[in-house]
Amino acid sequence: MQNDKTRQGDTASESTVHFWAPPDLPGLAFDPMLHRLLHEEPVARVRLPNGEGHAWLATRYDDVRFVSVDPRFSRQAVVGRSVTRLAPHFIPMAGAVGFADPPDHTRMRRVVASAFTARSMRRLHEHAQGVMDGLLDRMERKGGPLDLVAHLNRPFPLAMVCALMGVPDEDQSRMAHWSDTIISAGRGREASEEAKAEMAAYFHDLLARRRAEPREDLAGALAGAVEDGTLDLDEAVGLAVLIQIGGGHAVRNNSANMVYALLTKPAHLARLRAEPELLPQAVEELLRYIPHRNAVGLSRIALEDVEVGGVLIPEGDPVYVSYLTANRDPQVFADPEQLDFDRTHNPHVAFGHGPHYCPGATLARMESEILLRSLWDRFPELRLAAPEDELVWERGALIRGPKELPVTW
């Protein structure tokens, strides 16, 4: 039963529920509600546009990490509850790894980890550079100005996650359409659920083909796990859908955000051009600094009364964490509002923390480094082809980024 009291120490006091409808923010602007809560009310109650009731939101770095790993906060317990949320629908399919707790979560993650071995990453690195070179060749032939999102940021990570999964090139456009529909907060529940069902049906068929003719890709690993009983078919399909969406959509937007950040911060770009060995550290700082999503991800349910940051979360209440605010916590990061390529201690949580840490983090880092290095090696005079205040940003989306990024060179 939801409790309208917040108890700090022995004191019971009324706690405000903040209605939070995240605005469609331009560029790298930080959500003002998140900024205020981090500095004024780090464990607060919020109500988002969809779902029912309220949820707690933890914003400080230590509290975010605590909630992310403590087994008293359950993702599995979210299933069947209409928790307040940004989207009109839940993104993961029921039974997917996003809604699992250990030991089921551990079992499912182990199968996915088999696709991200050092050997697999070396193979994908070579493939990634080949894909990137081909896309840059086409850009050079076409000439500027052109939309970088359409010509590079969108097709590059899509090609990479399809290669990882084993999705044929001719099916990439369908994957892009389904992913865009599912990940949108603005296209409505019916369209999103229809796209999710169509993508799930596709992976049912692909896994069936891999069971008949095994291959060394993630679809093959998932099919093998179904065959040996490690996963059931619905779990395998749910994993495939989640990885396909995340691998194509998140890197698309965040790599475009990174390019935008460098194009609008000439001193940072000049530093990176002069010191190319700084690129991995710069990518880590860009990951920390960029507010890559709207609102928050999936909630957890408190399985018992748990104190977080001096606030008692009652049993049964939903709890969200904000990795964005954790990455701006001044107790952990000096001058957190500044993009600082000299930041050597950077324990950011852009890929999450704990059991639900993004399994594709290594691939995402690799793609970002290849894209930024290759883009400016090929086009050292790359620049925006439109005034910054005329750029168009995604609207009604869960993941933030420029809808178009016109550039020339």
Side-chain angles (χ1 to χ4, degrees):
M1 184 172 179
Q2 291 179 341
N3 191 326
D4 287 332
K5 300 286 186 179
T6 300
R7 285 168 282 175
Q8 294 187 267
D10 296 326
T11 304
S13 60
E14 292 293 338
S15 175
T16 302
V17 176
H18 305 278
F19 180 68
W20 182 26
D24 287 312
L25 296 165
L28 306 180
F30 201 79
D31 188 319
M33 172 72 84
L34 283 177
H35 184 273
R36 184 170 70 80
L37 293 180
L38 170 64
H39 293 280
E40 298 177 11
E41 195 178 349
V43 181
R45 297 198 304 172
V46 296
R47 181 168 60 86
L48 289 151
N50 292 286
E52 300 171 0
H54 73 267
W56 296 91
L57 174 62
T59 52
R60 287 187 299 206
Y61 185 89
D62 287 345
D63 295 337
V64 165
R65 284 166 57 98
F66 171 72
V67 173
S68 299
V69 300
D70 195 293
R72 292 174 294 178
F73 296 102
S74 168
R75 281 275 183 84
Q76 177 63 39
V78 175
V79 177
R81 291 188 54 172
S82 184
V83 174
T84 186
R85 58 191 183 273
L86 177 59
H89 57 289
F90 286 115
I91 301 303
M93 301 173 65
V97 68
F99 284 130
D101 296 328
D104 286 340
H105 178 270
T106 308
R107 170 177 54 83
M108 288 188 268
R109 277 289 293 253
R110 191 175 294 123
V111 175
V112 176
S114 68
F116 293 97
T117 62
R119 176 186 172 192
S120 297
M121 289 300 100
R122 285 193 296 271
R123 177 178 58 83
L124 284 170
H125 190 284
E126 182 177 347
H127 179 70
Q129 192 63 62
V131 171
M132 174 59 59
D133 291 343
L135 292 170
L136 294 175
D137 288 345
R138 285 191 280 277
M139 282 177 56
E140 196 163 22
R141 288 194 298 269
K142 181 177 177 60
L146 52 72
D147 174 17
L148 196 70
V149 172
H151 287 82
L152 194 66
N153 300 104
R154 183 184 184 95
F156 179 54
L158 178 63
M160 291 307 300
V161 74
C162 286
L164 174 75
M165 187 66 66
V167 172
D169 291 349
E170 59 268 23
D171 292 337
Q172 287 186 18
S173 61
R174 282 200 288 171
M175 288 294 160
H177 170 71
W178 287 330
S179 296
D180 286 349
T181 304
I182 294 167
I183 208 73
S184 171
R187 298 193 189 184
R189 176 192 294 268
E190 186 175 343
S192 298
E193 293 296 340
E194 182 179 348
K196 193 188 301 185
E198 290 173 355
M199 185 181 273
Y202 177 94
F203 281 117
H204 270 280
D205 292 342
L206 181 59
L207 295 187
R209 295 200 299 273
R210 289 295 184 272
R211 292 176 73 180
E213 298 178 11
R215 292 188 189 177
E216 290 189 8
D217 50 35
L218 185 50
L222 293 171
V226 173
E227 193 71 26
D228 67 21
T230 303
L231 300 176
D232 65 36
L233 184 56
D234 287 342
E235 289 173 335
V237 168
L239 279 165
V241 169
L242 199 61
I243 292 168
Q244 181 70 42
I245 294 171
H249 201 88
V251 177
R252 178 188 94 190
N253 286 278
N254 221 27
S255 67
N257 285 327
M258 289 180 180
V259 172
Y260 167 80
L262 292 173
L263 289 175
T264 54
K265 296 180 181 295
H268 288 78
L269 177 57
R271 173 87 186 279
L272 204 52
R273 296 287 295 147
E275 302 175 50
E277 69 279 2
L278 196 64
L279 181 59
Q281 187 168 304
V283 166
E284 293 305 310
E285 174 65 353
L286 287 162
L287 287 167
R288 181 201 69 83
Y289 176 80
I290 291 170
H292 63 276
R293 68 166 302 124
N294 282 313
V296 283
L298 289 174
S299 67
R300 296 165 173 84
I301 303 297
L303 300 180
E304 58 183 75
D305 289 0
V306 186
E307 187 175 294
V308 178
V311 177
L312 188 67
I313 308 296
E315 177 184 353
D317 273 15
V319 184
Y320 283 105
V321 299
S322 173
Y323 295 120
L324 301 185
T325 53
N327 285 339
R328 299 289 184 103
D329 188 337
Q331 298 300 313
V332 178
F333 303 98
D335 298 320
E337 308 302 323
Q338 300 302 312
L339 181 66
D340 181 6
F341 288 169
D342 288 316
R343 196 183 302 276
T344 54
H345 177 65
N346 193 354
H348 68 75
V349 287
F351 293 111
H353 181 68
H356 291 277
Y357 180 84
C358 175
T362 301
L363 179 60
R365 286 183 167 102
M366 180 183 77
E367 291 175 32
S368 298
E369 290 182 23
I370 287 174
L371 188 149
L372 295 180
R373 183 185 64 250
S374 302
L375 180 60
W376 268 281
D377 282 351
R378 182 71 68 94
F379 304 114
E381 301 301 319
L382 189 78
R383 59 191 183 276
L384 288 175
E388 187 179 342
D389 60 4
E390 293 181 10
L391 298 181
V392 179
W393 296 83
E394 293 284 358
R395 298 182 62 83
L398 303 181
I399 307 298
R400 287 177 57 180
K403 189 172 183 179
E404 298 174 353
L405 196 58
V407 297
T408 191
W409 51 88

